[in-house]
Amino acid sequence: MTAELVRGQNHPLPHTRLEIRVSAGRPVVAGVTLGDEEGRVPGTEWVAHPGQPELPGIEVSRQATADHRLTVDLDAAPAAVHRVAVLLALPLTPATPVRFGAVAAPFVAVVGADGTEIASYTITGLDSESAVVALELYRRQGAWKVRAIGQGYAGGLTDLLTDQGLDRAGELAAAIQETVAPGLSRTVATPSPRTTEVRRGATAAASGAQPQSTAAQGQAAPTGTPSDGTPQPQSQSQPQSEAQTHTGPINYAHPRRQSAAPPPSAPAAAPADPGRPPAPVAGDATGWSMEERLYNQVWGMFEDLARTTAAYRSAVDFAESRLDQELDRALSDPRSRIGGTGDAAREEARAKHDRLTEQAREVLDRDLAQLAAESEVVEPALPPAFARWDNPVWHGYRVPMEIPMALRLGDLHLPESPELRIPMLIRLPLERGLWVDSGRSGSEAAVLMDEAQLRALAMDTAVAHAARLLAVYPAGEFTVHVIDPAGAAAASLAPLVRSGVLDEPPAAGAQGVSDVLAKLTQRVDLVQMAVRGGASDALPADLDTAEQLLIVNDFPHGFDDRAVTQLRYIADEGPAVGVHLLMVADREDASAYGPVLDPLWRSLLRITPVPDDHLADPWVQHAWTYEPLRIPPGSDVLQQVLAQVAQARRTRRR
């Protein structure tokens, strides 16, 4: 049972591995200080904050967001640590509140490793304070406890850190605020009325190997008055104010929409009927080329969907919380037990709840309709690297002359809008390897599939990704190697083998595994030494300078300890020198290695052969459902594309 703490109350901690969840309604900075027996923090190296997010046993968020999940392993903390304090502070930007009294009361929960909530604390009574020590984990007679603190500081982080005993508190506070300032645009707040001026005022390039990017720079929703006449403060936890203060159409203003005059080749938005938003246009974003504009537009769509969904969920949560409060008041009032007064109060509370929920859904549906309309015009305009396999652009495919800026790995969608799919784009060259999970421990779709069928589908997915990479690179600038120790993936690998895009047949057996890994490990070593020594012209003449992709099937079958070490080395060091890993594996198969392989799994971007909601964005932690790209049944597009790639490679070698 959860202990609901009040200020000053403590509670024993049954576990030492914990997660501290913070919900503040508005973006806040979260940090942790480590103190000695007297509660003093010896130096800045004992403070975990966005600029220094990891300390022994501690990890905090890297940005200011409305919701945080801080991880704490008290056993891993230094022996000198006796107090762990959780800090919250408001960012110092013109668009954010300057005091906690203007926002909803922050809520903090301590959760065990099994997900059980141990204790919670709502920090009430704050007014002019802009920083607060939320709670404290402290060691007493060898046992750890949590205490609700709620100590606020009107002087902000500087005063708070000074009170913790830091000598240069002002410098550290300024550095923390400086760190989170650029990322505040990635924090999802209640979506405001999105005008052309707002949407055209934000420009930034997005990049990354996971679904993350610079988020929309929207304005905070204005203070609103619900239908019952009760004023509500401006905060993300009360997004229903937008539903009532903004009833006009929402413009297509994604964060990187044009902030300056577009290049002459940029499309112009079609004129709209009075009272209706302008028709969406493909390439309506900043960028020097159509490819860059489409890339930025896709990320803008992703960010808009994340933001409007966050606002909807926050509105529903607020409506549920308000309903609970009003029902509690009705039940606790003795007058409500006489006649039908209590029933009337409960009916009125439920009616208010339904109105707020409906208003929030109307705003969400309006945004979803506009994003769906935009998707309909953007999808057909995407280049091959960004397009699905069923896009007609593949029928006119030609081997490119230069590398595109990104590659589509699949589609992303949320439960509120499963039909609206946003392309999942990752930058090229790859910054980390890929892991196609062939295990059945993930989504419901995987659990329902036959194990052999799932493994075959995982390998088909890997081959499709490899083919897409070969197709988007210029001829001869991307080489694929395959390790299939037991030869179990012959059917899936057939398109690569038959087309002739592989320089060597798939390696089988322990010797084949050893030879391929030794070759690629040597390449990584040589290129690293050449780069560090500034002697890239000294590389052997026979060294393949193309980007390398290693496909590994059925790991760890056929791998001895040396091979496993080499594979980990390639995964860690390879991407920086153009050697990439695409692994098809079930983590359960490698369970015998224990934690030895944990760094390997963490270094790879996990994708699945079936839809699975395992990807999270870095601002509001939405669980996005990833859906892999499928070759249309009966289509020859894969064979046609690979045939052109193979022909271009042969022509280049002549």
Side-chain angles (χ1 to χ4, degrees):
M1 182 176 178
T2 303
E4 297 182 1
L5 305 180
V6 297
R7 184 171 298 173
Q9 184 180 359
N10 60 46
H11 186 76
L13 292 173
H15 312 290
T16 55
R17 296 185 63 183
L18 307 166
E19 185 179 74
I20 299 174
R21 300 177 181 177
V22 178
S23 179
R26 293 301 298 267
V28 296
V29 180
V32 169
T33 61
L34 306 180
D36 56 21
E37 288 183 280
E38 298 178 358
R40 295 184 62 82
V41 180
T44 57
E45 67 277 7
W46 287 51
V47 182
H49 55 83
Q52 180 179 272
E54 295 184 16
L55 295 179
I58 305 292
E59 184 173 2
V60 304
S61 306
R62 289 164 170 76
Q63 296 294 343
T65 67
D67 299 283
H68 293 266
R69 293 194 175 192
L70 318 180
T71 57
V72 176
D73 186 353
L74 297 171
D75 288 339
V81 173
H82 287 260
R83 297 178 186 270
V84 178
V86 178
L87 323 175
L88 304 178
L90 292 171
L92 298 180
T93 66
T96 55
V98 297
R99 60 191 183 92
F100 275 110
V103 301
F107 175 82
V108 186
V110 180
V111 181
D114 58 354
T116 303
E117 190 170 289
I118 301 168
S120 65
Y121 173 41
T122 302
I123 311 172
T124 57
L126 298 177
D127 186 11
S128 61
E129 297 89 343
S130 59
V132 61
V133 178
L135 51 79
E136 179 186 66
L137 313 179
Y138 65 101
R139 179 157 41 190
R140 181 68 54 82
Q141 296 178 348
W144 285 92
K145 295 184 178 182
V146 57
R147 177 187 289 124
I149 303 295
Q151 175 63 54
Y153 295 83
L157 266 178
T158 300
D159 284 5
L160 186 155
L161 294 171
T162 300
D163 198 37
Q164 296 269 322
L166 284 172
D167 294 329
R168 304 170 67 181
E171 294 179 18
L172 178 57
I176 293 173
Q177 295 288 0
E178 217 173 288
T179 300
V180 301
L184 280 173
S185 61
R186 293 195 292 272
T187 302
V188 178
T190 304
S192 63
R194 293 177 288 173
T195 63
T196 303
E197 290 74 22
V198 172
R199 297 290 295 270
R200 295 180 186 273
T203 58
S207 66
Q210 326 186 46
Q212 62 183 23
S213 66
T214 304
Q217 297 183 3
Q219 299 172 344
T223 301
T225 302
S227 55
D228 64 348
T230 305
Q232 297 296 330
Q234 173 180 329
S235 76
Q236 184 183 352
S237 64
Q238 297 165 350
Q240 76 284 357
S241 59
E242 181 193 352
Q244 293 149 5
T245 60
H246 174 57
T247 56
I250 296 177
N251 192 18
Y252 292 94
H254 290 304
R256 280 172 302 284
R257 296 303 166 86
Q258 299 155 4
S259 59
S265 60
D273 296 335
R276 299 185 62 185
V281 175
D284 182 19
T286 56
W288 291 104
S289 65
M290 175 58 81
E291 179 189 59
E292 185 178 359
R293 293 197 296 273
L294 286 169
Y295 174 83
N296 288 337
Q297 186 172 14
V298 166
W299 274 119
M301 293 165 63
F302 172 84
E303 292 156 1
D304 270 5
L305 180 56
R307 184 179 56 212
T308 192
T309 304
Y312 169 73
R313 292 179 181 179
S314 184
V316 172
D317 288 345
F318 171 75
E320 295 286 350
S321 175
R322 178 172 171 170
L323 174 62
D324 291 341
Q325 293 173 7
E326 294 188 354
L327 290 177
D328 288 343
R329 282 198 297 268
L331 290 172
S332 62
D333 187 353
R335 293 172 297 178
S336 66
R337 302 168 189 170
I338 302 173
T341 307
D343 292 339
R346 286 190 289 272
E347 288 299 325
E348 182 181 359
R350 292 190 179 95
K352 289 178 183 178
H353 167 272
D354 293 342
R355 283 198 301 271
L356 291 177
T357 304
E358 289 171 5
Q359 289 166 354
R361 186 71 210 191
E362 287 174 4
V363 174
L364 176 67
D365 289 342
R366 182 180 59 202
D367 282 2
L368 293 180
Q370 294 189 15
L371 286 170
E374 188 164 16
S375 178
E376 289 178 1
V377 299
V378 169
E379 277 288 352
L382 296 176
F386 299 177
R388 296 192 187 104
W389 286 112
D390 58 359
N391 192 312
V393 71
W394 285 105
H395 296 295
Y397 167 78
R398 294 292 181 270
V399 178
M401 300 298 293
E402 58 183 22
I403 302 171
M405 65 184 302
L407 180 80
R408 186 171 185 167
L409 276 187
D411 291 332
L412 300 171
H413 63 85
L414 292 171
E416 287 81 358
S417 53
E419 70 288 345
L420 178 58
R421 286 166 165 74
I422 307 297
M424 178 182 171
L425 304 179
I426 60 171
R427 293 298 295 265
L428 291 179
L430 297 174
E431 297 176 0
R432 61 193 297 200
L434 303 175
W435 164 32
V436 183
D437 190 353
S438 60
R440 303 178 64 191
S441 58
S443 67
E444 181 180 351
V447 173
L448 296 176
M449 290 186 67
D450 176 73
E451 182 177 349
Q453 183 185 7
L454 184 61
R455 289 179 183 270
L457 187 59
M459 195 60 196
D460 290 343
T461 302
V463 169
H465 288 315
R468 182 173 285 260
L469 282 163
L470 282 165
V472 302
Y473 270 78
E477 294 191 19
F478 198 84
T479 302
V480 175
H481 308 267
V482 179
I483 290 179
D484 185 21
S492 298
L493 293 169
L496 297 178
V497 175
R498 286 200 303 260
S499 63
V501 295
L502 299 180
D503 291 342
E504 299 173 349
Q511 187 60 47
V513 172
S514 176
D515 291 345
V516 173
L517 291 177
K519 178 180 178 180
L520 292 178
T521 302
Q522 183 185 39
R523 185 190 186 281
V524 172
D525 288 338
L526 289 173
V527 176
Q528 276 188 340
M529 288 188 292
V531 171
R532 291 168 182 169
S536 56
D537 55 347
L539 288 169
D542 60 345
L543 183 75
D544 185 0
T545 58
E547 296 276 316
Q548 310 286 311
L549 177 70
L550 172 61
I551 303 176
V552 176
N553 181 47
D554 207 17
F555 176 83
H557 180 77
F559 282 72
D560 56 19
D561 290 345
R562 176 180 173 81
V564 170
T565 302
Q566 289 176 318
L567 190 70
R568 287 184 53 188
Y569 178 69
I570 290 172
D572 291 339
E573 304 294 335
V577 292
V579 180
H580 312 285
L581 179 62
L582 174 53
M583 191 160 71
V584 180
D586 179 359
R587 190 167 182 171
E588 291 296 321
D589 292 344
S591 58
Y593 286 92
V596 172
L597 290 182
D598 286 350
L600 173 64
W601 304 116
R602 286 196 298 266
S603 70
L604 304 174
L605 173 61
R606 176 177 175 257
I607 55 180
T608 52
V610 293
D612 187 29
D613 60 348
H614 66 282
L615 294 174
D617 65 67
W619 324 295
V620 289
Q621 288 80 47
H622 286 327
W624 291 81
T625 296
Y626 166 81
E627 191 162 329
L629 300 175
R630 295 273 181 247
I631 308 292
S635 173
D636 293 331
V637 62
L638 185 64
Q639 290 78 4
Q640 293 170 1
V641 168
L642 289 176
Q644 288 201 41
V645 171
Q647 179 60 39
R649 289 166 63 89
R650 289 192 292 268
T651 302
R652 185 176 180 274
R653 290 171 181 169
R654 291 173 185 168

